[in-house]
Amino acid sequence: MPHAHPPPADHDSHGLAADWRRSLADAGPEAARVLAALAATDAPAMAVHFYQVMMDDTRASRLLSHEQVRTRLQPAMQRWVANLLRATAGDVDDLIAAQRVIGDVHARVGIPVDLVTRGTRVLKQRLFQSIAAQAGHGQAAHAAVASLTASFDIALEGMTLAYSNARERSSRTDAAYRLFSLVQNVGTERERQRALLLDWENTLLYALASQCDPVGFQSLAGSEFGLWFTHKGIPSFGESAETRRICDLVADVDLALQQTLREEADPRARAAQLQDIRARVSQIRNLLGMLFERIGELDAGCDALTNLLNRRFLPTVLRREIDLAAKSQGSFAVLLLDLDHFKAINDEHGHEAGDRALQHVAGILGQFTRGSDYVFRYGGEEFVVVLVAVDEAQALVIADSLCRRVSESPVTLANGAKLDITTSIGVALHDGHPDYERVMARADAAMYQAKKRGRNRVVLADGSLPEAPGRIALQRG
């Protein structure tokens, strides 16, 4: 899944291109030779220096500590510096487009703009020193400094423009996501979560009353309700005093539970601790009811055919899961599913049969994933499942189960006939990379291999898989 092509140049980009060409023309050929010489001698050291500056800021540690990113970034920075130093008027359009792609990536990953600005400022200072050392302080050196300054500033302006546009799009989508609330029926979801919370509480009471060994009892945070609230509830309701209070109460309940189970307390003391836990759970129920009352029945964001989420909110979900994984040192997995021989189904049985097949698969995905997971219709005959808080083994078990259930459950056509269907599934575990397109690209490559290996199977993404050909990137978030 290669990177998306940059969007068509807008009026601002045309202005930047004209300014860049003008500055290169004003600099003259001698200044161009000075800068081209620096590209050959100084670009590698500049790339190293740039990331040394970045590493000094703790905000960049999540990005720069990831080995895959670090090994990719430094060579990319070296090429970026060399390309700017060697820039000619004929290169400007491609360079502007490249800055826009870089700005989009920075927005997806969440690199603060001021860090990039600081890094480029330090690079310019070092390169000014190199110009003085190689060309002295004559007219060519001054022209080279002016040209270098303009190239770096225009490149940074192009990045920032794309960054701002991408962040604005993301903010609008995130706001729509919160309004949508990710529940198709608020009343049903409210009762379901209340029941899960009550079930957890009753299971705890039974375990303690029956004097069973409760050492391995599921924490509230790790329960089905807790996972739903962390991964769906908070983004659905939005950050608020109530959601923060529920998070605090869940943490308090789990801490009290650990103490209750760990201590050899007499029955009266344990009963008092249990009452304290139940009081906190009651507060969670009350706050949850208040939050549900604030959201209404919203249909935007649903795929009309399958009633699943459409891909509009996928970037929002993946960004949040990446943040949660970084904070909790946990992980999640992406499953990319493709219905096998879908074109043949449409051609042989008609589009109504194809629609029935898609609805059938959507029903299986919704039924046999957890309430905390996300199921999207990605487009055409493709679906995406985001499995939260799973490791590799758990993700593969779920993926194998879904693949088997699809193959064992034929579609009933309008005439009553049964149509066997299968699906190919690519599985990618989040590996710490902060760009959500990376995990999607890996799932895509794995799904393509599942197709090549005979379909109706699950393939796990690893470093040995080639990139899937002809794929488009995840829509801009």
Side-chain angles (χ1 to χ4, degrees):
M1 187 181 291
H3 284 300
H5 293 297
D10 53 22
H11 176 74
D12 293 319
S13 294
H14 285 306
L16 289 177
D19 289 343
W20 204 336
R21 290 191 184 92
R22 191 178 304 112
S23 72
L24 293 172
D26 291 343
E30 187 59 35
R33 282 191 288 273
V34 171
L35 295 178
L38 289 181
T41 59
D42 286 37
M46 292 299 101
V48 172
H49 185 57
F50 179 87
Y51 285 108
Q52 287 174 341
V53 172
M54 295 280 278
M55 285 291 286
D56 288 339
D57 194 299
T58 56
R59 292 173 296 168
S61 60
R62 179 170 68 91
L63 171 66
L64 297 180
S65 63
H66 189 265
E67 182 62 28
Q68 184 183 0
V69 180
R70 186 165 54 246
T71 56
R72 287 171 179 259
L73 283 177
Q74 198 155 294
M77 171 55 67
Q78 181 176 331
R79 289 192 298 272
W80 183 80
V81 172
N83 287 339
L84 292 192
L85 292 173
R86 296 192 184 106
T88 66
D91 300 327
V92 165
D93 287 337
D94 288 341
L95 288 171
I96 290 287
Q99 309 319 305
R100 301 185 75 189
V101 171
I102 294 169
D104 279 340
V105 173
H106 287 176
R108 285 202 309 268
V109 176
I111 298 177
V113 173
D114 63 289
L115 283 185
V116 180
T117 305
R118 182 192 313 163
T120 54
R121 172 175 55 82
V122 171
L123 287 188
K124 284 193 294 185
Q125 292 172 345
R126 291 285 292 266
L127 287 168
F128 292 163
Q129 295 170 3
S130 295
I131 290 172
Q134 291 192 23
H137 298 280
Q139 184 175 352
H142 285 295
V145 166
S147 180
L148 171 66
T149 300
S151 291
F152 271 59
D153 289 351
I154 292 171
L156 189 59
E157 189 176 341
M159 278 186 223
T160 305
L161 176 64
Y163 181 97
S164 299
N165 290 339
R167 295 294 282 186
E168 184 179 348
R169 289 194 303 270
S170 296
S171 296
R172 287 197 300 266
T173 304
D174 291 352
Y177 174 79
R178 287 193 296 273
L179 290 174
F180 176 67
S181 79
L182 298 185
V183 288
Q184 297 169 20
N185 188 310
V186 174
T188 300
E189 189 67 27
R190 177 177 58 222
E191 295 309 312
R192 181 172 181 272
Q193 296 309 320
R194 283 178 175 172
L196 287 173
L197 194 56
L198 181 62
D199 183 61
W200 181 88
E201 184 179 3
N202 289 338
T203 304
L204 173 63
L205 290 173
Y206 177 80
L208 295 178
S210 61
Q211 297 183 336
C212 296
D213 182 10
V215 170
F217 188 80
Q218 180 69 65
S219 68
L220 183 54
S223 70
E224 191 168 349
F225 165 79
L227 289 174
W228 175 88
F229 186 75
T230 298
H231 294 275
K232 281 193 174 178
I234 294 175
S236 298
F237 300 127
E239 295 281 353
S240 67
E242 289 81 5
T243 56
R244 288 191 292 271
R245 178 60 180 153
I246 289 178
C247 288
D248 292 341
L249 285 167
V250 169
D252 291 344
V253 165
D254 284 343
L255 180 61
L257 179 61
Q258 290 176 13
Q259 294 172 343
T260 300
L261 299 179
R262 190 169 55 239
E263 295 173 1
E264 294 292 336
D266 64 75
R268 285 179 297 179
R270 177 167 283 200
Q273 291 173 324
L274 189 57
Q275 283 300 111
D276 184 54
I277 290 174
R278 296 189 67 189
R280 287 185 166 90
V281 172
S282 178
Q283 291 181 55
I284 292 173
R285 266 196 302 272
N286 292 336
L287 288 166
L288 193 65
M290 292 170 55
L291 290 169
F292 269 112
E293 287 175 5
R294 294 179 184 174
I295 59 176
E297 302 284 354
L298 300 169
D299 294 326
C302 267
D303 173 63
L305 178 65
T306 63
N307 211 30
L308 297 177
L309 289 167
N310 61 37
R311 63 188 289 166
R312 176 188 182 195
F313 293 134
L314 184 53
T316 298
V317 168
L318 292 177
R319 281 196 302 268
R320 177 168 174 79
E321 289 304 317
I322 286 171
D323 287 342
L324 287 172
K327 292 173 183 175
S328 66
Q329 301 300 305
S331 190
F332 67 92
V334 169
L335 276 54
L336 184 58
L337 300 86
D338 187 275
L339 201 57
D340 294 329
H341 303 297
F342 185 69
K343 184 178 184 300
I345 293 174
N346 281 332
D347 291 345
E348 295 175 20
H349 302 279
H351 287 282
E352 182 185 354
D355 288 349
R356 282 177 178 259
L358 293 172
Q359 290 169 331
H360 182 73
V361 172
I364 291 174
L365 297 181
Q367 183 179 357
F368 295 105
T369 52
R370 302 164 299 171
S372 52
D373 299 326
Y374 296 86
V375 183
F376 297 83
R377 184 178 178 197
Y378 192 54
E381 67 272 27
E382 290 185 332
F383 299 86
V384 168
V385 180
V386 180
L387 300 175
V388 306
V390 293
D391 57 25
E392 181 180 293
Q394 292 168 327
L396 285 174
V397 166
I398 295 172
D400 285 332
S401 173
L402 293 174
C403 189
R404 186 182 68 255
R405 290 183 186 279
V406 170
S407 67
E408 294 175 352
S409 176
V411 179
T412 302
L413 301 182
N415 61 5
K418 300 291 186 180
L419 176 65
D420 290 327
I421 57 172
T422 60
T423 185
S424 300
I425 305 178
V427 180
L429 197 73
H430 173 58
D431 62 359
H433 199 295
D435 187 347
Y436 58 75
E437 281 199 2
R438 296 288 185 183
V439 69
M440 285 298 301
R442 292 170 51 241
D444 187 37
M447 189 271 287
Y448 178 72
Q449 289 301 310
K451 292 283 190 186
K452 282 189 66 176
R453 296 175 190 178
R455 297 181 170 83
N456 189 27
R457 66 191 63 229
V458 174
V459 171
L460 176 68
D462 59 38
S464 66
L465 293 182
E467 189 174 89
R471 303 289 302 180
I472 59 171
L474 180 63
Q475 73 169 28
R476 295 176 183 277

